[in-house]
Every structure is written in structure tokens, then in C-alpha cells.
Amino acid sequence: MGPAESGEVTRPERRLPSPRAMVVAPQPEAVEAGAAMLAAGGNALDAALACAITQGVVDPMMCGIGGIATLQVFDPASGTHTVLNGLGTCPAAARPDMWAEHFLGECPDGFGYRVRGYENECGAQAVTVPGAVRVFAEAHARLGRKDWASLFEAAIGFAEEGWIIRPHVQAMFTLDERPYGRMSYPEKLGYTEDGRRLYLREDGTPKRLGEVVRNPELAATLRVLAEGGAEEFYRGRIARAIVAAMEARGGLIDAGDLDGFRVAEGAPLRVPYRGYELALPEPPAGGVVVGEMLRILERFDLVALGHNTPDYVAVVAEAMKIAGIDKEAHVCDPAFQDVPVGRLLSDGYADACAARIRRGERASLTRAGSDAPNTTHVSCVDAEGMMVSMTHTLAVPSGLIVPGMGFMLNGAMNWMDPRPGRAGSIAPGKRRYSSMTPTIVLREGKPVVTLGAPGGAWITVAVAQVLLNLLDWGMGMQEAVMAPRFSATSETIDLSNRIPRATERALRAMGYATKRSYQSYAFAGVHGIAVWDGTAEGGADPQRDGYAAGV
């Protein structure tokens, strides 16, 4: 008896090709640019960079050449496996006590600090030395295949020809953060004459869904970079324009800060987990936080608890809180203060933390997280096995568009703690902790997963949950990034609106405070690619507007 006679229903035959190369990101235009680069013979790094540069055009409040970046790349052909950290440094003129007398407290949502006199202005003083362009250039010089100038072609096209306001862009353009002690985004968009012309309507409101943004000044700036290289940004025409903007607005960055900026390079942290190896960026990026969570959780039979059951949520949330407490106490720029990475990731410490959870002890976390969700990500893999994972951001966007240049500068000093003597305090040349965690997973030395996320303090908890979904639960990448998430970056467990009410009631009965998000897809926007048996499978978080494109 055949399948039809037995009543079985067979799945239609798959007729799409199985891709060996792929790029995934939150912006469709940027994915298009990356896929086109792969199709033209570029490798995964070329494609990721073309994607990232385009992201700066079509997601101007999330990222751009005025921003900061962390990139991880694994290249089996050359044996390269490295992390390039381009987190912005405080200018030489910055002082630990420069805002101390004006400190008002943390923002109510935990993203940054409130400082008297700066609550209602963008503040050129909040700009750190941008590191993204240095990351792009150094990575390309070492591992790029296509010409440097070719990386800019798609971005220049979108800047000149225009792109349309998408749902997530529109949501950010209209975001009102005044209740949290920060400027509203319409105010930031209108902070400069260039911003008003580019992003606002005649009535002063942000452009709406479907309306077109054209930015010929940014196209011209990108041409300067394409032709002259990164030195134009750090020593040449673009550098001079940045310094002039700083001088006009009372900013701290000078020519020496730009010229002296260097990328911090290092081997990734290698964290074992259930027969896999997690390759994570070292401090001051967020890799140690993700690694600590999973080292603790490896001590539990999570599958026996059941996915997203009350017991599962409670155990994972306690690991999140313990790692969050340790982050607040210890994780900072290792050039300024020792970070006990070895202890935080050790067997003994993981055993002790797991034992605390089993005893029913509850970690007390007032709040973990000060970086803002103005971030984006790209993951890419090519047919030769090169994997790239890069997260880049404007941090808290400053609103300051460099006159005539078309790009906004980061506001990452808002991440720094205005109180002297703390792990995150201000100091010349210092990099602030960032939750950005571009991740690669290896199995027997071969890369099998690349992923990361935008989403501020939620990045680490979201990346950890997607890793659990992939490695413990065997989900495909799209299923793994879509599964309902929760977050414990404070005393309260935040729940996606797709976590059942019965689960929430059970957690409350266990003594946990909970808060339900209005979002179906909440807590960062994870994007990633898994490669099993040579076939690439991508996942794009529905929270954002992107997709995965195979070649």
C-alpha cells in the first residue's frame, strides 16, 4: 500500500536550491547589498561589510560610519579566527568627574544616565571616537576579496536614489524617550538643519511609512571613503569636518583623538557548552556575560524541565540575574581594570552558581544594563566556510549630523557612568561595556552557527536563549529566533506577550515579579545562520524588517 492509499499526506518536494552562502540582517536593502556581493564573487567578509555600510544609510538612527562596531570572523582558508573591537573611546579631554556634580540617576529603563543640563539636548560632549570605519578597513585589508571601493556601491546607490521608511525605522523615528530622561527621537532628528531636511516633513514631524529618504551628502561622503580609504575618516576631509562640528557644538573630540584611534584585536573567548564551543567577544563586549549564563545552565537538564515552562523560565532567569550582577560589578574595559574572566567562566564558579539556584536562592539584581537598543547586526557565511558576525551601533544617537556629510555621530558617552570610581566611569581613552555579542559556534573545530542581535541590555539574554534553542532543543535557526523569549535584567522577569498567562501566574506563585511586554517578538532582535551538513539556514527576527538571503 502506497502513501496515497494509506491516507498519509506527503510534503511537496522542495524545488528551491539549498544555499551554501547566506547573509541575514534586519534591513532588506542591506541584505540585498550583501547577497549581491556574494553573487558577484565576494566572500563573507565582503558581503558583511557591504551590508553594514548600507545599513548605515537605510537605518540612520541605528548605525553608521559615525558609530562603533565589534566584528568576529572565522576564516578556515587562512586559519584566522579573531575579534576586532571598535567600541568608541572617550576623548582625551574627557574627565572622570566631568558630569559628577550634575548626576541625577540612572534612566528609569536602565538605558543610560540622567545628567542635569543634558536631559533635553543631544550633547556633542556625549560623542565617543567612532570606531566602525577602522573595523571595516582593518578586516577588509586582511581578509577581503573584492576591491574596497566595491563595498560602497550599493550604499551609495541607496543614498542617492532613496529608500523608503520601513515599519521599524518609523517606530524609531517617532520614539518618545522623554519619560526615561532622554530626548525624543523627533527632537534628535531635528537637532541639526541637515537632520530636519533629511528626515522631517514640512510640519516638523518625522517622515512616514513609505515616504522616501534621499541623502546625496552621505553618498558624497561614502565616495570619499571609497576612494581615499579609512584615512579620510580619521585624518582627512571627513576628520576635519567632524572636528569642526565638535568645535561648533562644544564637543570634546579633536584631531588627535581621531588620528590616534586603534582597533582592539584579540582572540575570542572559547566557552565549552554540551560538546560545542562558543566563540564570544571578550570584554568590554558582552561575550563573557553570555558565556557565564550558559556555563551555569549546562549544569541543568533543561530539556527535562520543558521549554518555557515555569521551572525552565525560573532557572534560566536566575542564571541571567547572576551574570547580570557580575557584569555590573566586574565587566569593563580591561585596559583600565582587571576583569576576572577566568573565574567567571570557570567550572568551580559555574558549579557554585548552579548549586545556589538548586537551593532555591534568588539573586537580587537592581538593574543590569545601561547601553541602548540603537543597534544593528549582520551575519554572513560563504561557500568556503568563512563566517562573519558583526554588531554595530550609534549607541544613544547624538542627533548631531556632521554638516554637509550626511551621517550622525554616536552618543556612546551616555553609556558611561558619570560617577567616578566605578567600573563604567569616564576616563580618557576608555571603552564602555557593551552588550554587543557577535557570536560564532564551533563543533569539532568547524564553524556551524553565526548569530548576534541589536537590542541593548537585552542582547545577551536573547543570544543566550537562541543558543539554548539551537543546541539544547534542536530548533532550526528561524524557529530558534522566533520562539517566545523572556528577560531578567532586573528583579522583574519580563515576558514576551506570547508566553502563556498560565506560565506567568505560576511564576508569580513562585514569588517572582513579572511584567508582560506588549510585543509578540520582544527582547532584542536576533539574526543568525546555521550550517549543518554544508547547507546554510538563516533566521531573521520578526521584530525587525529583515530576512535571510541565500546564494
Side-chain angles (χ1 to χ4, degrees), residues 65-342:
I65 59 174
I68 60 184
T70 300
L71 179 149
Q72 182 176 175
V73 57
F74 182 101
D75 177 33
S78 65
T80 300
H81 190 184
T82 191
V83 175
L84 299 178
N85 187 322
L87 295 175
T89 53
C90 295
R95 305 183 315 277
D97 62 349
M98 59 186 283
W99 293 335
E101 293 183 1
H102 306 286
F103 175 69
L104 296 174
E106 293 183 64
C107 294
D109 60 353
F111 292 133
Y113 302 88
R114 295 182 296 119
V115 181
R116 185 180 296 106
Y118 297 88
E119 312 98 297
N120 297 313
E121 59 180 272
C122 299
Q125 287 193 10
V127 181
T128 63
V129 183
V133 174
R134 278 278 187 226
V135 169
F136 298 168
E138 292 198 18
H140 179 266
R142 188 175 312 179
L143 294 171
R145 180 185 297 167
K146 303 289 283 186
D147 291 340
W148 168 257
S150 69
L151 307 179
F152 293 81
E153 292 172 359
I156 291 169
F158 282 111
E160 286 186 329
E161 298 166 20
W163 53 277
I164 58 174
I165 301 291
R166 305 180 308 277
H168 189 262
V169 170
Q170 196 268 343
M172 297 308 299
F173 274 19
T174 57
L175 185 64
D176 185 3
E177 295 203 308
R178 288 174 296 182
Y180 307 112
R182 298 186 296 271
M183 289 182 68
S184 72
Y185 276 55
E187 288 176 296
K188 290 191 176 188
L189 292 170
Y191 184 60
T192 62
E193 179 182 345
D194 295 59
R196 292 189 291 274
R197 174 171 43 81
L198 286 168
Y199 303 122
L200 300 184
R201 297 161 60 91
E202 290 184 3
D203 64 1
T205 61
K207 288 189 174 182
R208 299 174 184 172
L209 285 172
E211 293 189 328
V212 176
V213 175
R214 294 184 177 86
N215 192 341
E217 291 93 344
L218 180 54
T221 299
L222 294 176
R223 283 199 174 89
V224 170
L225 273 177
E227 295 168 4
E231 295 310 304
E232 289 285 3
F233 191 93
Y234 292 97
R235 296 180 180 177
R237 283 174 281 180
I238 303 171
R240 291 190 289 273
I242 293 172
V243 171
M246 289 288 102
E247 291 173 347
R249 296 275 183 169
L252 302 179
I253 293 174
D254 62 19
D257 292 316
L258 289 167
D259 187 33
F261 183 85
R262 298 293 181 269
V263 169
E265 181 178 3
L269 302 174
R270 301 291 190 107
V271 180
Y273 185 76
R274 303 199 196 280
Y276 294 88
E277 188 174 54
L278 312 179
L280 302 162
E282 62 185 0
V288 65
V289 181
V290 172
E292 182 179 339
M293 288 182 215
L294 268 71
R295 292 246 68 199
I296 296 168
L297 293 172
E298 191 176 21
R299 273 71 185 160
F300 293 87
D301 185 349
L302 298 177
V303 174
L305 297 177
H307 189 262
N308 280 1
T309 62
D311 286 340
Y312 180 90
V313 173
V315 167
V316 176
E318 288 301 326
M320 290 176 179
K321 289 194 291 179
I322 291 170
I325 291 167
D326 287 336
K327 185 272 289 185
E328 291 292 302
H330 303 296
V331 183
C332 61
D333 189 339
F336 287 78
Q337 179 177 315
D338 181 57
V339 182
V341 172

Side-chain angles (χ1 to χ4, degrees), residues 290 293-294 297 307-308 312-313 316 320 451 458-471 473 475 480-481 483-488 494 499 522-523 526:
V290 172
M293 288 182 215
L294 268 71
L297 293 172
H307 189 262
N308 280 1
Y312 180 90
V313 173
V316 176
M320 290 176 179
L451 79 164
W458 291 314
I459 290 174
T460 53
V461 298
V463 167
Q465 284 176 88
V466 172
L467 288 170
L468 296 178
N469 291 342
L470 290 167
L471 306 182
W473 295 96
M475 295 184 189
V481 303
R485 290 195 288 269
F486 52 92
S487 170
D494 297 294
I499 299 285
F523 316 125
V526 185

Side-chain angles (χ1 to χ4, degrees), residues 106 108 321 324-325 328 363-369 489-492:
E106 293 183 64
K321 289 194 291 179
I325 291 167
E328 291 292 302
S364 179
L365 176 59
T366 303
R367 176 177 292 121
T489 55
S490 70
E491 293 291 89
T492 300

Side-chain angles (χ1 to χ4, degrees), residues 375-409:
T375 305
T376 197
H377 181 81
V378 53
S379 283
C380 192
V381 61
D382 64 29
E384 287 74 43
M386 178 187 284
M387 271 194 178
V388 177
S389 183
M390 178 167 59
T391 311
H392 57 128
T393 182
L394 288 183
V396 180
S398 68
L400 178 54
I401 295 176
V402 180
M405 291 284 159
F407 67 91
M408 189 176 292
L409 291 165

